[in-house]
Amino acid sequence: MQRITVAKGDGIGPEIMDATLAIIKAAGAQIEVDEIEVGEKVYLSGNSSGISKESWDTIRRNKVFLKAPITTPQGGGYKSLNVTTRKFLGLYANIRPCFSMHPYVSTKHPKMDIVIVRENEEDLYAGIEHQQTDEVVQCLKLISRPGCEKIVRYAFEYALQYGRKKVTCFTKDNIMKQTDGLFHQVFDEIAKEYPDIENEHWIIDIGAAKMADTPEAFDVIVMPNLYGDVLSDVAAQIAGSVGLAGSANIGETCAMFEAIHGSAPRRAGQNMANPSGLLQGAIQMLIHIGQVKVAEKVQNAWLKTIEDGIHTYDIYKEGVSTQKVGTREFAEAVIANLGQVPSSLQAVHYSEEKLISLPKYTRRAPAKKELLGVDLFVHWPGQSADELASIIKGIELDEVKLSMITNRGIKVYPDGFPETFCTDHWRCRFKNASEGQNISKEHILQLLQRAMTANVDVIKTENLYAFDGKPAFSLGQGQ
Ligand code: NAD
């Protein structure tokens, strides 16, 4: 018997959760449910996180959380409970299978069967944002080696467990050579440990276009957080409907399972909503807790029900569907099909032996780190980079000189183009006057002191390092 935490959520949440629990219990799931309240009511009671401390305790004790969609009230600084839960509980992997059920659910891609493995904690979703000048705000994109290793390894282990043939990586490392570059590099390293699984890398733009056009060319696709967020919705939609997809959020100790759609408030309380997305999440949960045969039974009964043409309004189509049913009736039909397998759609077979468990991350020996220079970011309302350069040259030290100024990444000094549009946010790069020599932290303090005296508004600094002799920062565009 496994204790799980259940949140019925808002809008259509309670109806689809009742339907989902009824189906998996009828199939023999050995679960005991602790119900917690999260979402709209909790937000509106004055708790801006949407969840109480007692509910956190329950989630952490049970370690397995099945969550219906919730409504995040607009405005008023309410924090997204999904993002908070993923990060608090270290749910680093988001797994979203997207497959078509042609000809029973309309799709332009009858042969599509892909799984998006999305990194779930890092990237721009660290949510570290600042306004720095009148005109410019920034969001820090953080990518870590442990984050990359865990998600990429998870993708390959998933491929092994589910008998998949290929793992594809999507990044934009032609532009973001450090952040996406690390993700790609770790992918190449870990792929070598799985010689039986094919691997490939696509630049995200053309990869996404290919996925939307020819999804049957892909199998498992692993990618950083933001790309995964966007493309997993695209994949679910082109497979048939976002209403049919579920997702698993997996961490080292806890896991959360859900539908990918929202709380559809306009459909709430009418016995109309399709419970399939949440049911797909629950099936992933059953596999996760080792109740693999129950998961298999539910999935086959669900496929049979879709194949029988018993459809809720969202996927109902004259000529294909045989009955338009409500949430409850759909659940009853799935329950009646338990023990049966689809005849035309591919029946599933889940293996019991290979539940995914990853080795603990081991930190590498630290690299030799050298300070090669510093970028001072400056708020300056002028227009001419040459004029700014003459001001900035005034704060140079004997050993540390201005080597370049960029504006939004593009080099504007020396030898900038007058056509380049400039904002009030400038990066001034300083390096040792003797080519290849390091600078010291003391030099940075002296530069900042001189900047302050000269009324130069430094809004932040970034140190320029080399790790094991390899410069680890981007050049200016056009440099
Ligand atoms: P939504 O997914 O709730 O609805 C989009 C459309 O799909 C609507 O037309 C809806 O009727 C339909 N739909 C969604 N699920 C369906 C189902 N199971 N059966 C039949 N039709 C279904 O997206 P939205 O309208 O943008 O958001 C509504 C609320 O949900 C917002 O408050 C949003 O913050 C929240 N939301 C929550 C989650 C979550 O908890 N995981 C995810 C996304 C959105």
Side-chain angles (χ1 to χ4, degrees):
M1 192 62 76
Q2 169 88 40
R3 280 197 97 82
I4 65 166
T5 307
V6 161
K8 292 194 172 176
D10 301 312
I12 58 171
E15 299 156 70
I16 60 173
M17 182 61 85
D18 287 345
T20 297
L21 291 176
I23 294 168
I24 64 173
K25 282 183 178 163
Q30 299 293 301
I31 51 168
E32 266 179 70
V33 167
D34 285 325
E35 199 181 321
I36 59 165
E37 179 93 63
V38 297
E40 201 171 19
K41 267 199 227 135
V42 184
Y43 283 119
L44 297 177
S45 75
N47 182 332
S48 67
S49 67
I51 179 168
S52 70
K53 185 186 166 307
E54 293 70 35
S55 297
W56 277 126
D57 293 343
T58 309
I59 291 172
R60 292 174 63 207
R61 193 176 60 241
N62 292 338
K63 301 188 171 37
V64 178
F65 182 21
L66 181 62
K67 190 182 86 39
I70 58 167
T71 303
T72 310
Q74 296 291 303
Y78 299 108
K79 292 266 179 286
S80 157
L81 182 60
N82 285 331
V83 177
T84 318
T85 309
R86 287 170 191 160
K87 299 198 71 172
F88 262 150
L89 300 181
L91 308 181
Y92 62 88
N94 186 292
I95 316 301
R96 227 177 243 199
C98 302
F99 52 91
S100 54
M101 283 174 287
H102 175 79
Y104 308 102
V105 177
S106 296
T107 171
K108 297 191 187 93
H109 305 287
K111 292 203 187 110
M112 172 172 183
D113 180 9
I114 66 182
V115 179
I116 307 265
V117 177
R118 160 189 171 195
E119 198 290 318
N120 219 11
E121 294 181 285
E122 311 196 325
D123 194 356
L124 293 158
Y125 287 52
I128 306 175
E129 295 192 298
H130 303 92
Q131 177 164 2
Q132 299 184 318
T133 67
D134 290 312
E135 292 174 348
V136 175
V137 286
Q138 76 161 19
C139 178
L140 276 187
K141 172 159 166 143
L142 294 177
I143 301 274
S144 74
R145 176 167 273 276
C148 296
E149 284 193 11
K150 283 196 291 186
I151 194 66
V152 171
R153 205 177 285 285
Y154 195 94
F156 279 98
E157 287 293 325
Y158 184 97
L160 266 188
Q161 188 194 344
Y162 288 84
R164 297 212 166 232
K165 305 279 180 286
K166 180 169 77 173
V167 180
T168 304
C169 175
F170 281 179
T171 72
K172 187 79 185 169
D173 67 337
N174 54 333
I175 303 294
M176 284 162 281
K177 296 187 169 70
Q178 295 290 326
T179 48
D180 283 23
L182 177 61
F183 197 94
H184 185 174
Q185 182 193 330
V186 169
F187 177 79
D188 287 346
E189 288 169 15
I190 289 181
K192 291 200 183 81
E193 296 175 27
Y194 297 87
D196 296 336
I197 297 173
E198 204 186 319
N199 70 81
E200 62 179 8
H201 172 268
W202 289 70
I203 299 292
I204 178 90
D205 39 26
I206 189 63
K210 173 89 175 164
M211 187 196 82
D213 182 61
T214 325
E216 57 275 17
F218 297 105
D219 196 341
V220 175
I221 315 181
V222 62
M223 59 191 112
N225 202 342
L226 175 63
Y227 312 142
D229 191 1
V230 176
L231 288 192
S232 57
D233 269 26
V234 173
Q237 185 64 32
I238 65 173
S241 161
V242 282
L244 294 176
S247 83
N249 297 270
I250 308 285
E252 274 169 28
T253 50
C254 296
M256 172 172 79
F257 302 86
E258 58 187 344
I260 74 165
H261 59 73
S263 56
R266 281 189 308 129
R267 306 289 180 193
Q270 299 160 50
N271 190 39
M272 285 181 80
N274 188 345
S276 297
L278 187 58
L279 186 65
Q280 289 303 305
I283 289 167
Q284 292 196 60
M285 175 188 78
L286 290 169
I287 296 172
H288 179 80
I289 61 178
Q291 299 187 21
V292 174
K293 288 297 149 194
V294 184
E296 188 178 300
K297 194 170 170 185
V298 175
Q299 182 70 335
N300 284 327
W302 177 74
L303 289 168
K304 173 90 170 62
T305 309
I306 299 286
E307 192 182 270
D308 287 345
I310 302 174
H311 294 167
T312 42
Y313 82 93
D314 53 315
I315 55 168
Y316 182 87
K317 199 167 176 202
E318 207 72 51
V320 176
S321 309
T322 53
Q323 264 187 73
K324 190 190 276 184
V325 291
T327 315
R328 273 194 303 277
E329 294 71 27
F330 182 80
E332 283 160 12
V334 177
I335 291 170
N337 278 335
L338 287 169
Q340 301 201 51
V341 293
S343 47
S344 152
L345 291 172
Q346 180 82 43
V348 297
H349 173 72
Y350 299 136
S351 114
E352 288 202 3
E353 297 108 49
K354 290 189 196 151
L355 291 174
I356 298 174
S357 86
L358 299 187
K360 274 242 170 284
Y361 172 75
T362 40
R363 186 166 282 170
R364 300 172 162 205
K368 180 168 173 255
K369 189 174 168 193
E370 292 166 278
L371 187 59
L372 301 185
V374 65
D375 283 342
L376 303 195
F377 288 77
V378 169
H379 181 181
W380 184 66
Q383 280 299 318
S384 150
D386 287 346
E387 188 186 336
L388 177 62
S390 68
I391 299 170
I392 297 295
K393 277 181 163 301
I395 68 168
E396 286 181 338
L397 311 174
D398 289 343
E399 316 85 76
V400 181
K401 302 288 181 204
L402 178 69
S403 69
M404 169 184 79
I405 300 177
T406 68
N407 195 295
R408 293 185 301 173
I410 179 92
K411 185 185 67 147
V412 290
Y413 172 89
D415 309 321
F417 285 9
E419 290 84 356
T420 304
F421 181 82
C422 290
T423 67
D424 59 358
H425 186 272
W426 309 80
R427 170 179 60 170
C428 305
R429 176 159 288 180
F430 288 85
K431 289 199 162 163
N432 198 305
S434 315
E435 183 70 26
Q437 293 295 303
N438 295 346
I439 68 163
S440 69
K441 291 258 172 84
E442 184 63 35
H443 287 136
I444 299 177
L445 290 178
Q446 288 171 17
L447 281 173
L448 288 174
Q449 185 65 52
R450 288 175 63 83
M452 202 164 74
T453 310
N455 262 329
V456 173
D457 183 6
V458 177
I459 44 151
K460 76 162 192 166
T461 65
E462 289 288 352
N463 296 349
L464 306 177
Y465 288 115
F467 285 83
D468 284 341
K470 236 174 97 191
F473 48 88
S474 54
L475 298 177
Q477 288 159 339
Q479 191 185 8

